[in-house]
Structures are given as C-alpha cells and as structure tokens.
Amino acid sequence: MKILIVGAGKLGMKVANALLGGEHAVTIMDTDESILQKISSHIDVMTVNANAKEVKSLKKLNISSYDYLIAVTGNDEANIVISSFAKRLGCSKVIARIRDPEHMQQINFIKDAMGIDHIVNPDLGITVEIYKYLAEKYTLSNGIFSTGKISLIEFNVEKYKQLIGLSMTDIPKVLPNMLVVAISRNGKVIIPHGCTTIEDDDFLYVIGEKAPILDLNSKVHEKGKYTDLQKVMIIGGGKTGFYLANMLAEFGAAVKIIEKSKERCHYLSTHLEDVMILHGDATDLSLLEEENLDLMDAVVTATGYDEDNLLLALTAKQHGIEDVIAKVSRASYAEIISSMGIDMALNPLDITTSNILRFVQGSKKILSSQLIQGQAEIMEIIATPHMKILDTPLRELDLPKGIIFAAIHRGTDVIIPNGNTVILEDDKVILLSLLSDISTTEKLLTDKVKFSFFRR
C-alpha cells in the first residue's frame, strides 16, 4: 500500500519503521528539510519538504493515489485539517493523532464532520492500559484472550508454586498441552525460550485448549477477588495524568495529582471532579512524605521526562508501594527498568504505533489483537498464500527473541507448536510479539511479493 505520514517526529518515525517492515511504500512529509535529509539517509522512504495544510502540496503529491494518510504532527488542529483535506482530495483512509481532552469530548462529531477514519491518542492509549492494570487486574475470570477452542490466562506463579524453578522444556510435564507464552518480571514483559526458568513472583501468561485452561484457571484465580485500589498518587498533571485521574475517580479511588506548573494546576482543578490537585515539585522527597506517599496503594509517574519518571517510580517502590507504574518513551531504558523493580513501564509510542498498524492491516490478515500490560500484543492472524511464515519449520524462520507462535487452529484441530511445526495456508495462527519488535512482526506477516510506488 502507498502510505503518507505527515510529521517526522518520534511517532512518525516509529510508524514509518514499522510500516517498512511490512514493505509498504512510505512517504514522509514535513516542513523541516534538515530532519528529512537525516531520515532519507537512514531509511528507505520518499521524503517531501512541504506543508500538508496547503491543498496544492497534497495535490502535487497526487494524494488520491494513496491508500492511507497518517497525520501525526505535534498540533491537533493541523492533524484534523490535514486529514480532512486529504480525504476530500480522494485519499482512501485517513488517520489523525488527536490528544487534547477538549477534542476527545466531541471526538465522534469531529470524525464525522471532518471525514476522519481513525483517531489515535497516545495519552489515552497509555491511560487505558494503566487503568486496566490497576482497576481490573483481579477481575479476569476466563482468561484475557479466547478464540475458538483456545484460551490464554494470566496468573502469579505463587498461585501454582510447582512451576517455580522449572525451565520452559520442563513445563509440559506439569502443564501438558499448554505453553507459557509470556512472563512479566520486574515490570518487563519477556518472551520465554527453552532455557528460560520461572522465578519467584513471575506473572505467567499460559495458552492452551479451553477445557484444560479453564481447569487451571479454577486453581490459580480466587473467586470474587477484585482490586481493593483506594488511594492513587499521580505525579505529572499532563494529558496522561488528566485522563487517568478522571477514570480512576469515576472508578471510586481517591486520586491525588502532583503537578509542577501552577497554570496547569488551575486547569486541572477546573476540569476534574473529586481529584485533589497539589502544586509542587515531586522530586522533593519531603513533599511526597508530607502527602502520605507511604499510604498510597499505587503511584503512577507521568511527567514529561523519562528520567524523572524512573527516579520517582524507584522512590515510590523503595517506600513499599504495591503498584508502581512509570511512563517511559525511550526504548533504551528497557533494560534499566527491568532491574529497578517497577511493576510496569509503558511506552506510549509503542502502544500508538500498534494501534495504527492494526487499523492499516484491517481485517484481511489480523482477526483480533489485544495488548498485554501495554508491552506486548497477542493477535490471531490468517495465514495467507504468500506469507513468509508458510511451509517452513518454525525453528528455521529465524525469529527474534520478542516473538513466539503460541497456537494454531487447523480445521477443527488445535496445535501447540514446537520448532518442527509448519504453518500452512488458511491456518489461524495466534502469535505474541513484544511491541518493541513490531516492525519484525510486520515482516513476518508480509506477502513475499514486494510493493512499489508504481503498483496500484
């Protein structure tokens, strides 16, 4: 497909790299020529130095020949206008990044009035994942992902202690015909392999046929146990903090936001109900102690700075807070996070990129998908005739560590795959991928026939 990305910022580049993994023909448009020159020397895309808000720029590019336009500049209004213009000029589908809460309150009207097909909001996306973790983590009963005869459940290994110390090759002796497809350890989701050993306090994701999974579920989940979340401190009153405070307050939790900007505090206090707004610098430990940090059930660090978020999350963990979540945008911090003991670290760029890719893919290949702790994605795909994954033993696919094939529906049969398993045409395949490996996942799902700008 031909895809135009407007905006060469962090999100635009993340999306571009992922789409190139799927071998789409990608064009990047931006008003900053120096940024475009750097991009063209690093990745194989066409770059256009122009203002997409000018109709003549879109016409010159022949926007009607494009399958998708993705507007991800730093300005909501610009993204809305660009998407609307492109749609009117004949672009098949348009996607816009919109972040402001005022716009989100009337988002359906904006979509209908402006002809926008899909809207992404990084702040709201990460908020939903945090809310699911804090408010819904004890409410799952039959697994988080079920399809056909297959289910996947999640549980703390402390609920099934005989698994502690076992390697993946030993798991079938205890859980026959099941597969551990992911482990959440110290706030980081990892894809296990043969030599991976289960450790104390690991959170496991296990897949298998429904009947044995439901039987396992009855042993590892306590009936009627729901979250007892009561007090939450959010550090950073930006858009993520705003969305999360609003959702948790509606849930019934006592929410406290600490925000450095006095002007932002005024905005929050006039737009949020039943939320305590405090003006102050959360890096001042005495302030946190005065605000009863030790009494919080959860702390979420969502300032605009990764370093502050990590430092404050570590401080909260050292004060014995049960659930500590950090918003972190730099992929390079992933290894640091896993050694800090933080319960969850989320990257809004990864989550938003996944959202965009799933919309671009549509229902042709991917039947369904769901995020796991905002760091990995489990999806069900249909193996189409020209996919690179067909007719080759899985061990020969040279899969990265962040991807695992979890199960296969073949007719009425369910297959828990191993290295010798071969995927056939029309198989329904369930795979799990770390969001950090999303571009590699796209390559696996791509047809062997390459796309060019000259094909329609």
Side-chain angles (χ1 to χ4, degrees), residues 132 136-145 152-155 203 205 217 221-222 225-226 370:
K132 281 161 59 178
E136 299 176 0
K137 62 180 177 177
Y138 296 122
T139 64
L140 301 172
S141 57
N142 293 330
I144 60 169
F145 187 92
L152 179 146
I153 63 168
E154 38 72 54
F155 60 92
F203 214 73
Y205 292 82
N217 181 72
H221 281 151
E222 296 178 27
K225 179 170 172 57
Y226 291 85
Q370 183 167 340

Side-chain angles (χ1 to χ4, degrees), residues 188-289:
K188 182 181 178 183
V189 175
I190 61 175
I191 305 299
H193 295 276
C195 59
T196 305
T197 301
I198 295 175
E199 300 177 4
D200 290 345
D201 221 27
D202 277 352
F203 214 73
L204 307 182
Y205 292 82
V206 179
I207 200 166
E209 290 196 56
K210 268 187 179 177
I213 286 290
L214 291 178
D215 181 58
L216 176 62
N217 181 72
S218 66
K219 300 174 183 175
V220 297
H221 281 151
E222 296 178 27
K223 291 183 179 180
K225 179 170 172 57
Y226 291 85
T227 179
D228 55 359
L229 185 73
Q230 295 180 25
K231 297 179 181 179
V232 181
M233 179 181 287
I234 301 172
I235 301 175
K239 295 181 178 67
T240 299
F242 175 89
Y243 288 126
L244 183 60
N246 193 39
M247 293 176 73
L248 289 174
E250 288 184 2
F251 173 76
V255 183
K256 184 181 293 187
I257 295 180
I258 299 178
E259 167 57 41
K260 188 183 293 187
S261 165
K262 195 170 185 178
E263 182 181 356
R264 184 63 181 173
C265 284
H266 177 71
Y267 175 89
L268 294 170
S269 63
T270 56
H271 288 78
L272 289 172
E273 296 181 5
D274 301 321
V275 175
M276 183 181 292
I277 312 298
L278 296 168
H279 175 229
D281 185 352
T283 58
D284 179 0
L285 184 57
S286 62
L287 172 63
L288 297 180
E289 291 174 344

Side-chain angles (χ1 to χ4, degrees), residues 104-157:
M104 297 308 294
Q105 291 173 2
Q106 51 196 8
I107 203 66
N108 290 329
F109 179 82
I110 291 174
K111 285 181 68 175
D112 293 341
M114 308 302 284
I116 299 173
D117 297 287
H118 187 59
I119 285 171
V120 292
N121 183 332
D123 305 287
L124 188 56
I126 193 173
T127 297
V128 169
E129 294 304 314
I130 295 172
Y131 179 83
K132 281 161 59 178
Y133 180 82
L134 291 178
E136 299 176 0
K137 62 180 177 177
Y138 296 122
T139 64
L140 301 172
S141 57
N142 293 330
I144 60 169
F145 187 92
S146 290
T147 174
K149 296 181 178 180
I150 296 171
S151 284
L152 179 146
I153 63 168
E154 38 72 54
F155 60 92
N156 191 304
V157 72

